[in-house]
């Protein structure tokens, strides 16, 4: 064990009355909720990038964190891996996630970069065997290097597309090797800075083709994980093509991939797209493409991606309710795509941020499970739409009746519907009963 | 002629040096731009609702406008029609647009409402014959009456769905009768106020079915106009299912209607969805669903639909550039979905608002046409993507090559692409040369 | 008692385990928290306008609520008063609030309007005697009528200023007569629609003078309540001069009134000004102008004033923490400036909305009190700034040292400060411990 | 001359018909507008930071620009100065601006940093003598280094306050030495990340005291330039104390400095504070604190500081109109706080960005001057407020009449004002006549 987290013992569940900041008050992995262990519901993952790669910089300031592994060498990458696994096990999270460039330095060529990644992946394999940790997902960073400044799959230069294809192939290989349960694509540069220099139709075509190749390759190598797209409306790009869940659905339909690819929904990205998190989850479930979650929160007054740890139980409860209603995760999970504030300099702050986030999710899980077990909400919704079970209603839906038959019936029966209360305040009060 | 606009003569083109506020300085209907008359490019329409129905109220204040036709009778509706046609001809706009409830009062039953509408439609027919005015589109108001408070096609009550079907049937009949060139659906209440009482999947299904019936009925009656959906992210609903162009595309694909239905893009709705207007146009064209435009502007600092007249030529120029690049309108046009500020009490203000808007569009048209004729922009984009014409690039797109072949090539050739300047400032400066 | 709320008994506290939607689960008026009864901490008020005047309309739809008192007569006004007091007593709130135009119909002249108001005020007096209810504040509606469309105190027409002065005088007289504990000014039209027709300096001068007259008149009549301004950034105006708390502070300083006038902070207005609610409270306390609160919430995805009932306990807890830290309310209180969703048609929905809001505030109160009693937060802040107690630090603040002396010391001592963790995640986790 | 801009000749005015992208089409320094040379009206400054220090990074990507001076040595700093002055003279801008840390590398101690700055300042002095260039303003960077992560003047650690004082003293000395016409303070870290660890009142007090020391020191050294605060609502901080112009006014009044300090208004910061640029200018003029301008634009769909070059003439025209109406600049000017898009890699892009921005400002200047010379706007506003010249109106303002006298008059005269059209569309159309 490295000494970065020296003095910090594995975090234990101590119950809601504990005032120990270094303990879980709600996350009790073995506690059974709706017939499943908490750990198996939540499937927490810790991410590599924010915790071990980000230096604390922002657009107006440089590095604030001082970490012994902040160096561009393989030695530093190995130290980083040691510290990362120390943190994963300290927190008792079952999963982790990475970008290829998080874990190993960029080489002079793609081949060298790939070798660097592969070496660390081997190290990960050993550490996973030792610790039992699993890989929720891997992904390729195709947004930080200047070669990708105008996109990867949507770059006007086909050589960048080719480079990206080769890079994703390797990242998929590595994810597969580690038994990753998903592979994620986030297209931070797949969009545009100005329409004036952009052929949007060509870019959408190229992006669709790239995705098809991802799916083809997945099948070729026998990767059984889920391919996930992570929607985001903008930032760094002025516009990003995978704006939100509904937009991604259209892209998938356009490429014929709606049964092959799902979404990884990030709380903060939902907010930046002017949606609630639960909206994005409910939309993905209605459209059949719900996959996984990047748990964090976005400051409601900031117009950029703040990637803070989730800390609002009632909000997370609503999201958890829709996740549970849809049957919970299959290959997905809760990855903390959350970073410390740049003033949170201490090693223990990394642990504290995750304790808080994990406890919020655990509390939300029990609240959402209670909502479902109570049954008021599902029943209310069922009752509200009950009229659609009538034969006349079904005829409108199944094609038996068209506008003419319906109009005839409306006039014949003098249909003039009287509205009923939507009971929003009643329902909101009940949510609070469970939080 | 009614005397509401007494003293206001038909508006004439007087050229850019005119300081007469009651004249066009740029809109010269017969001027030929890129081989077509300005009037035929722009296809201006004046809307009924904002000009003749809205009383000047806002959420914190009541009526400010005092109009002789503000009464709920057929007599008032006829006076309103007189004034409306006076205004259309005063402005020399070739088209107008309406909702069914704009033109005639709601009756005690749908049948009576329909009769009221039909009576005014007959009057419109006569006036159109007299004046040569044409109908750009009709639509049904399914958002103002309390029966629609929880949606029309997406209402939990199937009787409301039926009522809406019967109402749309009639509005389509009336639009068809008047030779309307499009039929529009705006789903202001097709969304939700709270997910807690909502079955989103059912609502999306019902909405899809409703749209299919619209298309079936269109073909049944031989209506050759275009069916248009007008995207809007929210307001009045907390969330509206036709959020933006990309979302509508997904809905259409889901219902198998992407070849049957197009979009009517409103400037202000684009802005409320956190897009530029030109983004929505370019997206619709890339996805093959560009139809028509609701011209207005939204205050950039206000979070609600301000529906102001367009007044920024450089912004409108970009939109016009993409419209022209895509071949211009077929059945669509520029409908002014714009309203006076509620302090603009005078009859002449109605005329002034439209003069300003029409002049802005005309100026934008000539600027955009000059951009196209100059050729710098199309050429720049073509050059930027020229690499995709190479055989190796084509193989990546046409399925000949997948990840493995591409990766082999990348490694064999040591591909490591060097980025090129995107020249955004250069391009933006050139736009300003044409404004 | 009117029969509008027939079948609804006075709401009782039943404790957190109650699942009775018509009971308080947290609001227990007599429970003592930090040495004071809950009721005396929270000082709840029910407002007249949203509950009894708003018809359920929005910018795209008309009336949804059907209330027997929706008529423009004094008889209806009296029925409305009966129902209002039924509701106040059903909820057990100690206070209520009104605008003059809420309670009585506008007359043909201001004198007649005033008489109408006075007659209802007399009725209120009787009802207050009977019930023990008190008036938290009164205010004048100077934004709904078209005469105020361009402002009241800031109208370009001095006759409107005069009319507003006369109206406010009467509203202050009435508030005074009822023993109101505050008098509020909300300047919904005190701003502009376009700078192009606006003399901002003149308008700010006139607004300052108007405020001075309010204060002069308060002293003249011996009104001992607090004069409050309610900040709002915009809506209905494009820009409102009392944008937020910090802006109001500047206006007060400019008019020499910073010791005479305080702010009434509305949650939703804070959000629309891109602030958190607790920010506005903390700012008002730092500037010495904290007065009262309009409790509600704004949908985070909607850009207009949604005036929903508060329902997020962790968010309200932070606000309550700063209120308690500043010593709590003196003449202020929690007025629910919250309205039902327009689909919430039932009489009981009015009660349910308030039960939810009151319970949220009560829960927040106990959480915030526990935070203060625990002491971690105040102590943390005190420690963080402890360095300022040193003699050298004090010399910088008290004027003993200027830039030269300080620079000499920095160079002499080689001062090069090392940053310390801000511990944000640690602190946020602790907040959740108390919620 | 360095060879970075090799092949680029000084930019000349070629007139509106020029299609040479490397020429001015509107900026003609010697052209006389309203009795003053364009150059003397606009007082353009080129900034050091965006052009010569920013590497093209964003929160999701690293360096894209490759500049020979990107190194942390004094040699590189001198090369950078050479290139900078080449660019200033190529563009023919009369002024430049810097932060201390832009121009010279940070040393091991503040003393060493100061010596580095002083050495470059001496070099600047020589170059200014040679070229005639002048310094619009200098400022100290107190936001990039980690020592300032929790603020400079508002840091909880008084040693940081002291360090900042010593740093500002030196930056003021250097600005004074170069004959700078203003000294600017931008408080990017003067705010908070979380209220939970913040004593806002103490921080506002410390900030006020710091400002007082700036003013005291200015007078002590005989600096005759203007002290300017640059408002910004947030970013990098979650909340910044100098949120907008109105907030800064309150801070200045609180510190008794409203006659000593003015504002430097940045277009993009106005937009981020949910204001129009012209609003901030008009507000500063109404409050008597208008100083200078940071010219740029913010993408209306991006929630962070995009710092693009201005390119919308109608928008800039409104700003320019208010600047001219207020008498134009005294010590202020138009500093381009604008940066290239990170994909704009070429040396010539730096020049192109500024050509575009300077031309937009020049066009706006002539349009605004024409608006003023035409006189319609000032006259319209004067007429609209003309009623305030009446004796009765004056009595309300000068204190002769209070609420009682006014109310008596309203009732006696039966005052019931009739609203007049605000004519917004008319006025907006006229603006377009001049653009």
């Amino acid at each position: 064990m490295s000494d970065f987290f020296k003095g910090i013992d594995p975090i234990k569940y101590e119950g809601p009355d504990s005032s120990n900041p270094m303990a879980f008050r709600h996350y009790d992995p073995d506690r059974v909720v709706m017939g499943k262990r908490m750990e198996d519901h939540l499937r927490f993952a810790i991410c590599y990038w924010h915790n071990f790669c980000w230096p604390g910089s922002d657009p107006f300031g440089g590095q604030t964190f001082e970490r012994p592994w902040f160096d561009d060498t393989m030695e530093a990458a190995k130290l980083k891996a040691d510290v990362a696994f120390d943190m994963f096990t300290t927190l008792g999270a079952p999963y982790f996630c990475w970008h290829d460039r998080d874990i190993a330095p960029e080489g002079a060529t793609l081949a060298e970069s790939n070798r660097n990644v592969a070496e660390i992946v081997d190290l990960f394999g050993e550490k996973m065997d030792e610790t039992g940790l699993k890989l929720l997902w891997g992904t390729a960073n195709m947004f930080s290097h200047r070669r990708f400044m105008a996109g990867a799959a949507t770059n006007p230069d086909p050589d960048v597309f080719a480079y990206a294809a080769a890079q994703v192939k390797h990242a998929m290989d590595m994810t597969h090797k580690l038994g990753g349960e998903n592979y994620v694509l986030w297209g931070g540069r797949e969009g545009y800075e100005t329409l004036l220099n952009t052929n949007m139709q060509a870019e959408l075509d190229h992006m669709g083709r790239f995705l098809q190749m991802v799916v083809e390759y997945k099948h070729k190598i026998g990767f059984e994980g889920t391919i996930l797209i992570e929607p985001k409306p903008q930032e760094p790009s002025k516009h990003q093509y995978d704006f939100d869940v509904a937009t991604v659905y259209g892209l998938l339909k356009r490429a014929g991939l709606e049964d092959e690819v799902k979404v990884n929904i990030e709380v903060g990205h939902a907010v930046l797209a002017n949606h609630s998190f639960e909206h994005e989850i409910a939309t993905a479930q209605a459209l059949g493409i719900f996959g996984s979650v990047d748990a964090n929160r976005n400051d409601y007054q900031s117009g950029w991606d703040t990637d803070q740890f989730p800390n609002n139980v009632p909000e997370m409860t609503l999201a958890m309710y829709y996740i549970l209603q849809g049957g919970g995760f299959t290959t997905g999970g809760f990855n903390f795509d959350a970073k410390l504030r740049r003033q949170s300099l201490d090693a223990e702050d990394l642990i504290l941020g995750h304790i808080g986030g994990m406890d919020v999710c655990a509390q939300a899980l029990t609240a959402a499970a209670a909502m479902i077990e109570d049954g008021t909400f599902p029943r209310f919704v069922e009752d509200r739409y009950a009229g659609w079970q009538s034969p006349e209603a079904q005829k409108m839906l199944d094609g038996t009746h068209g506008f003419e038959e319906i109009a005839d019936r409306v006039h014949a029966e003098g249909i003039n519907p009287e509205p009923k209360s939507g009971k929003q305040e009643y329902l909101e009060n009940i949510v609070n009963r469970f939080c």
Side-chain angles (χ1 to χ4, degrees), chain A:
Chain A
M1 184 156 173
S2 81
D3 62 358
F4 184 72
F5 291 113
K6 199 165 48 184
I8 301 179
D9 293 324
I11 307 305
K12 302 280 179 226
Y13 172 73
E14 296 189 358
D17 296 331
S18 171
S19 63
N20 176 4
M22 299 301 278
F24 294 121
R25 297 171 48 254
H26 300 281
Y27 180 57
D28 182 6
D30 293 318
R31 177 173 163 195
V32 174
V33 175
M34 286 178 70
K36 202 159 43 167
R37 292 172 62 248
M38 257 198 186
E39 183 178 290
D40 300 332
H41 270 292
L42 295 169
R43 298 168 57 84
F44 285 132
I46 312 292
C47 80
Y48 225 85
W49 52 101
H50 287 315
N51 293 305
F52 308 115
C53 308
W54 178 59
S57 59
D58 69 20
F60 294 85
Q63 176 172 349
T64 57
F65 299 145
E66 298 182 328
R67 310 297 195 211
W69 60 84
F70 277 177
D71 194 5
D72 214 23
T73 64
M74 284 301 288
E75 289 65 41
K78 288 170 192 170
L79 172 58
K80 179 160 58 171
D82 290 343
V83 174
F85 274 76
D86 287 349
M87 182 167 150
F88 304 153
T89 51
T90 297
L91 285 164
Y95 289 99
F96 72 116
C97 297
W98 45 256
H99 298 84
D100 48 6
R101 291 298 164 269
D102 300 338
I103 63 175
E106 170 112 12
T109 62
L110 179 59
E112 186 183 331
S113 299
N114 286 353
R115 281 191 301 274
N116 291 346
V117 170
E119 187 176 340
I120 299 295
V121 160
D122 285 342
L123 180 59
F124 282 175
E126 294 166 25
K127 286 175 177 287
M128 289 164 74
D129 286 345
E130 283 167 28
T131 58
L133 228 13
K134 291 170 288 183
L135 179 64
L136 188 65
W137 46 266
T139 186
N141 178 329
M142 302 189 295
F143 47 87
S144 293
H145 194 279
R146 66 197 289 273
R147 78 172 61 85
F148 297 119
M149 72 179 198
T154 62
N155 201 291
D157 181 351
D159 278 358
V160 178
F161 180 101
Y163 190 101
Q167 185 177 338
V168 168
K169 177 189 173 295
H170 192 258
M172 288 179 72
D173 289 339
M174 296 298 99
T175 301
H176 187 38
K177 186 169 190 180
L178 293 174
E181 305 193 11
N182 307 270
Y183 182 83
V184 167
L185 293 123
W186 174 63
R189 306 281 175 198
E190 312 295 21
Y192 62 79
E193 286 306 306
T194 175
L195 278 173
L196 291 172
N197 67 13
T198 302
N199 181 338
M200 195 196 286
Q201 191 169 4
E203 296 203 356
L204 292 175
D205 289 345
H206 300 174
M207 192 172 163
R209 171 63 189 137
F210 197 95
L211 274 175
Q212 286 162 345
M213 290 199 290
V214 168
V215 169
E216 288 161 16
Y217 189 66
K218 162 192 156 155
H219 291 305
K220 186 153 206 173
I221 61 176
F223 177 64
E224 298 191 348
T226 308
I227 304 298
L228 298 171
I229 291 183
E230 180 170 329
K232 191 177 182 188
Q234 58 170 180
E235 199 205 18
S237 298
K238 185 252 182 298
H239 176 84
Q240 207 168 306
Y241 294 132
D242 52 9
F243 196 83
D244 59 8
V245 169
T247 301
V248 168
Y249 176 77
L251 294 175
L252 293 178
K253 289 288 285 185
R254 190 172 185 265
L257 295 171
E258 70 271 21
D259 297 328
E260 291 279 3
V261 178
K262 299 193 183 309
V263 284
N264 181 38
I265 301 171
E266 179 168 327
V267 186
H269 297 180
V271 168
L272 291 171
N274 211 22
H275 300 305
S276 68
F277 180 34
E278 62 267 24
H279 167 84
E280 288 292 81
I281 292 170
T283 301
Q285 289 183 333
L287 298 172
I289 57 171
F290 176 72
S292 194
V293 161
D294 267 15
N296 59 25
R297 81 176 194 272
N298 211 76
D299 185 285
Y300 282 120
Q301 283 85 44
S302 302
W304 61 91
D305 202 352
T306 65
D307 279 336
Q308 292 169 266
F309 287 91
N311 78 341
N312 191 293
V313 174
E315 289 190 351
M316 188 58 87
T317 296
L318 289 177
M320 204 67 81
Y321 172 75
Y322 292 101
I323 292 173
L324 289 182
Q325 274 287 87
F329 293 116
T330 53
T331 64
F334 268 96
N335 170 51
F336 285 103
D337 195 352
K339 66 187 183 197
L340 292 178
R341 297 309 83 199
R342 75 192 285 267
Q343 297 186 34
S344 298
L345 305 179
D346 301 342
E348 71 162 26
D349 292 331
L350 282 167
I351 305 298
L352 284 162
H354 285 84
I355 290 174
M358 292 164 81
D359 261 354
V360 164
C361 291
Q363 240 183 314
L365 173 67
T366 49
M371 280 169 67
I372 286 174
E373 287 169 342
D374 171 80
T376 303
F377 288 97
R379 219 156 36 225
F380 186 95
V381 174
E382 206 182 309
D383 290 351
R384 193 165 177 248
Y385 292 81
W388 286 97
Q389 303 311 316
S390 76
E392 287 303 317
Q394 286 297 312
K395 279 182 210 156
M396 299 194 292
L397 295 185
D398 67 15
T400 312
H401 282 179
F403 272 4
E404 287 171 310
E405 295 81 4
I406 298 172
D408 287 347
R409 187 166 64 86
V410 166
H411 293 302
E413 301 181 9
I415 289 176
N416 194 1
E418 188 62 21
K420 282 191 203 132
S421 174
K423 308 301 288 182
Q424 181 165 341
E425 293 78 11
Y426 164 76
L427 294 167
E428 288 173 347
N429 289 356
I430 295 184
V431 174
N432 269 349
R433 181 142 55 89
F434 294 103
C435 284

